Amino acid sequence: MKIPLNHKKICLISVCSIIFAIINGNFIFPNILKWILKRNVQLRPGSQMRPLFENIPFPLNFKVFIFNITNSDDILLGAKPKLNEIGPFVFEEWKFRENIVDDDKMDTVTYTMKNKFIFRPDLSKGLTGDEIVTVPNLVMFSAINSVKRYRFEMMPFVTKAMSLIFNEPKSVFLTSSVMDLLFNGIAFNCDANDFAAKAVCESIKSEGDGQGVRVINETYLSISMLGHKNNTSIGRFTVYRGIKNFKDLGRILMVNGERIQSVWDGDDCNRYHGTDSTIFPPFLKPDDGLWSFTPDMCMSLKAHFVRKSSYAGLPTSFYSLDFGDFKNQPDKHCFCQNVPGNGCPPKGTIDLMPCVASPIYGLTFIELKNDLWDCSIVILGSKPHFLDADEELLQNIEGLMPNRSAHDIFVNFEATTGTPLAAAKRLQFSIEMEPIEEFDWMSKLPNSRLLPIIWIEESIQLNKTYTNLLKYQLFLPKEINVVAMWIGIVGGSVILLISGAFLCMEHFKTASVRVTQDADKRSVGNIKRFSGNVTELSIDEK
């Protein structure tokens, strides 16, 4: 038996399907997905994110580039420095968190962050770490420059100490193997009986402990740039877990128990903004920027949205970071303290001297006891090869070739989940170099302003294992939702049109039948009237 179709009901169902497809595709499903993502990214114990947060399951790429000085003897006579970049020396950088403590009331988690570096000569393009390089002697530069600036009357005292400690050096530059410079340490003798040498050595031991200085024996110390960073704590962080407010996920509340630093000359510069750069909240908008705190620089930096991009087939937002020009940024003047001449550092650079002895270099702060003198080296950070910095800095050095693709700081960011898919933090460290007439070894140095020593790159590129997780757990459901929505809209529309057409056909058919029936009725009436008239005519004739 054929069941007749009720096209009115079909049209009604089609309209309802279209409305549901639009509401589900644009409101119901996105909100359900958003709720699921919020729960998954929370740092609560047992969440999907917590194990990844406690121990990042893959290493970051850590690359070191050394600026080898090729004309050190000529520089002592006033020549322009010539540099030859050697690198990359590639390391695996493993980040992990220890001594984790949750605070449910504050919705925070406190942890000690550690880094571990493993040298990868197989990725270092034939470099072994045994290469010999010439770089500035940071202890000598720090001592002499600071004495000139703050306690000039102590110059004979410090000159004598440097001469004894470094055994009558003929240069303010030193030669070392790369690995000794970075991790193993460069040894120097502290067995002199002279008061000046003993005072400086004791200060190095106490102030340099944990900052790259290692005691070899009773008379010898060693200094390295990165040795103190390997498998040691970089600070104890307290961050929000994002349970009560997902927008606070990873945001730093305290570092080493302090809510604000005491490094810079102003609260605005001392405040913590953003995360520790390993985690970000989801659903960030381009105008929000990407804020993160960098312990090695003692400051929070903001990466700005540049353009829409993609990575491994996933849509991303591309961010970049510019150090700017503090001199022309009044809100950044609190970063300008302790710079020679009482001014701000050159465009594109950051004064790092106040930052906990600039730990990236080990010993950059010496203090003689009894308040005889405060001695600190002026270390400035910038992008490698002075990219986006004052042009004069480039003109004073030979061998620098800034390149945006190789030297810029960027993040390829997936905003829905708050995941950096690819990123590179690149930072160059330079020392101030100027002639000091009172010190023979530095009396004829060129006034190059800044002499680059080293630059580092900390980068990440997520592989298919992790990008596929995003594809199948986030973007695939989103695509299915879009397809389902359009199937509902298009399918419902087609069925609505077909059913509507049938309704119209039925309507016209019904109307046609009615017209025919009305015509037939009128014809029958006319016939009856005609028959009646004929009958009456016949009767009259008779």
Side-chain angles (χ1 to χ4, degrees):
M1 179 180 177
K2 186 176 180 180
I3 301 176
L5 295 175
N6 189 328
H7 292 292
K8 288 185 178 180
K9 289 184 177 179
I10 293 176
C11 286
L12 181 62
I13 293 173
S14 298
V15 171
C16 292
S17 297
I18 294 172
I19 294 173
F20 176 77
I22 294 173
I23 294 175
N24 179 72
N26 290 285
F27 299 101
I28 297 176
F29 180 84
N31 283 319
I32 291 175
L33 182 62
K34 189 174 183 178
W35 180 82
I36 293 173
L37 283 174
K38 286 180 183 178
R39 285 190 57 82
N40 285 342
V41 300
Q42 292 172 359
L43 296 180
R44 56 183 170 80
S47 70
Q48 183 178 355
M49 178 61 69
R50 186 63 178 253
L52 301 177
F53 173 77
E54 293 181 358
N55 291 290
I56 299 176
F58 50 82
L60 278 66
N61 300 314
F62 189 84
K63 299 178 181 179
V64 181
F65 298 80
I66 308 294
F67 288 109
N68 179 44
I69 300 173
T70 61
N71 65 333
S72 58
D73 291 340
D74 295 335
I75 295 174
L76 294 175
L77 299 176
K80 180 187 294 188
K82 295 181 180 180
L83 306 180
N84 176 36
E85 180 182 283
I86 300 178
F89 297 89
V90 182
F91 298 79
E92 291 181 353
E93 180 186 3
W94 292 89
K95 289 183 175 291
F96 52 96
R97 295 171 170 89
E98 293 183 338
N99 302 323
I100 300 173
V101 178
D102 286 89
D103 186 330
D104 294 332
K105 183 178 180 180
M106 292 292 295
D107 189 25
T108 61
V109 57
T110 301
Y111 56 88
T112 299
M113 175 73 84
K114 285 189 174 183
N115 292 336
K116 184 177 181 179
F117 298 94
I118 300 175
F119 182 48
R120 291 293 303 272
D122 56 314
L123 301 178
S124 300
K125 299 181 179 180
L127 299 174
T128 64
D130 295 328
E131 293 77 12
I132 302 299
V133 294
T134 301
V135 295
N137 185 321
L138 294 177
V139 176
M140 295 180 67
F141 268 92
S142 65
I144 303 303
N145 279 337
S146 296
V147 167
K148 177 186 178 182
R149 191 175 303 119
Y150 302 119
R151 292 291 180 88
F152 182 77
E153 67 276 10
M154 298 297 299
M155 183 65 73
F157 182 90
V158 177
T159 301
K160 182 179 180 181
M162 292 297 103
S163 178
L164 292 171
I165 292 174
F166 292 99
N167 193 24
E168 298 295 335
K170 297 181 180 180
S171 174
V172 288
F173 302 101
L174 60 83
T175 299
S176 168
S177 73
V178 169
M179 205 53 68
D180 283 347
L181 180 67
L182 296 180
F183 286 98
N184 298 335
I186 299 172
F188 59 94
N189 191 354
C190 270
D191 66 346
N193 293 321
D194 183 85
F195 171 74
K198 281 185 172 295
V200 171
C201 283
E202 286 300 318
S203 180
I204 292 174
K205 287 181 181 179
S206 60
E207 298 297 328
D209 184 29
Q211 298 294 333
V213 175
R214 182 170 60 91
V215 177
I216 299 177
N217 53 41
E218 292 183 358
T219 59
Y220 275 86
L221 304 177
S222 71
I223 297 178
S224 64
M225 292 183 177
L226 301 175
H228 65 290
K229 295 172 65 66
N230 193 19
N231 205 28
T232 57
S233 169
I234 63 173
R236 187 154 180 82
F237 294 75
T238 299
V239 305
Y240 287 103
R241 301 183 300 179
I243 299 175
K244 295 181 179 180
N245 185 352
F246 75 92
K247 294 182 179 180
D248 283 335
L249 177 69
R251 182 166 66 86
I252 294 174
L253 177 64
M254 292 188 293
V255 177
N256 297 325
E258 300 292 337
R259 290 177 178 264
I260 191 170
Q261 301 180 99
S262 58
V263 176
W264 310 102
D265 188 18
D267 289 346
D268 288 343
C269 292
N270 281 314
R271 289 192 177 94
Y272 300 114
H273 297 284
T275 71
D276 65 6
S277 79
T278 65
I279 186 172
F280 292 92
F283 309 110
L284 286 176
K285 299 178 181 178
D287 291 342
D288 296 330
L290 297 180
W291 280 98
S292 62
F293 174 71
T294 303
D296 287 339
M297 301 175 69
C298 301
M299 62 175 59
S300 299
L301 301 172
K302 180 182 181 181
H304 297 272
F305 174 78
V306 177
R307 65 180 185 273
K308 291 293 184 181
S309 184
S310 64
Y311 179 83
L314 300 175
T316 62
S317 297
F318 189 89
Y319 290 79
S320 182
L321 189 147
D322 189 350
F323 294 139
D325 187 355
F326 292 166
K327 182 179 180 180
N328 297 316
Q329 296 174 273
D331 60 324
K332 302 293 186 182
H333 283 179
C334 47
F335 288 126
C336 295
Q337 67 164 359
N338 296 328
V339 177
N342 296 319
C344 291
K347 175 188 173 184
T349 67
I350 297 177
D351 169 30
L352 298 178
M353 184 179 66
C355 180
V356 197
S358 298
I360 188 68
Y361 274 124
L363 179 69
T364 54
F365 184 86
I366 306 172
E367 178 184 0
L368 285 181
K369 303 307 176 184
N370 302 319
D371 197 30
L372 289 177
W373 123 70
D374 244 6
C375 171
S376 49
I377 191 169
V378 178
I379 290 288
L380 282 89
S382 68
K383 292 182 182 179
H385 291 245
F386 292 126
L387 176 68
D388 295 331
D390 190 334
E391 286 291 333
E392 184 182 347
L393 300 177
L394 275 175
Q395 297 171 2
N396 293 333
I397 304 290
E398 291 186 19
L400 300 182
M401 294 177 289
N403 180 290
R404 188 159 303 280
S405 62
H407 301 141
D408 205 2
I409 302 172
F410 75 90
V411 182
N412 235 341
F413 189 73
E414 200 294 299
T416 303
T417 59
T419 304
L421 301 183
K425 181 173 68 176
R426 295 160 173 153
L427 194 62
Q428 173 181 296
F429 296 90
S430 305
I431 189 173
E432 185 190 49
M433 186 172 71
E434 61 180 354
I436 299 178
E437 296 179 0
E438 296 77 14
F439 192 48
D440 290 341
W441 305 310
M442 301 176 70
S443 62
K444 297 180 181 180
L445 290 178
N447 191 4
S448 297
R449 298 183 68 185
L450 296 178
L451 177 64
I453 306 172
I454 185 176
W455 73 271
I456 60 175
E457 174 185 294
E458 186 181 68
S459 63
I460 181 175
Q461 297 87 33
L462 290 187
N463 58 31
K464 289 184 178 180
T465 300
Y466 297 99
T467 56
N468 284 342
L469 286 176
L470 285 178
K471 285 182 180 179
Y472 298 134
Q473 294 186 10
L474 174 63
F475 287 97
L476 183 60
K478 288 175 69 175
E479 291 175 0
I480 292 174
N481 172 62
V482 172
V483 171
M485 180 181 70
W486 282 107
I487 288 176
I489 294 173
V490 174
S493 299
V494 170
I495 295 174
L496 178 62
L497 289 173
I498 294 173
S499 298
F502 277 107
L503 280 176
C504 290
M505 292 173 61
E506 289 180 357
H507 174 74
F508 287 122
K509 183 178 180 181
T510 302
S512 177
V513 169
R514 287 177 180 175
V515 170
T516 303
Q517 290 175 348
D518 291 342
D520 291 344
K521 288 179 181 179
R522 287 195 297 270
S523 298
V524 171
N526 291 334
I527 292 172
K528 287 181 178 180
R529 285 194 299 272
F530 178 75
S531 298
N533 292 334
V534 172
T535 303
E536 289 178 357
L537 180 61
S538 299
I539 294 172
D540 290 341
E541 289 179 352
K542 290 180 180 181

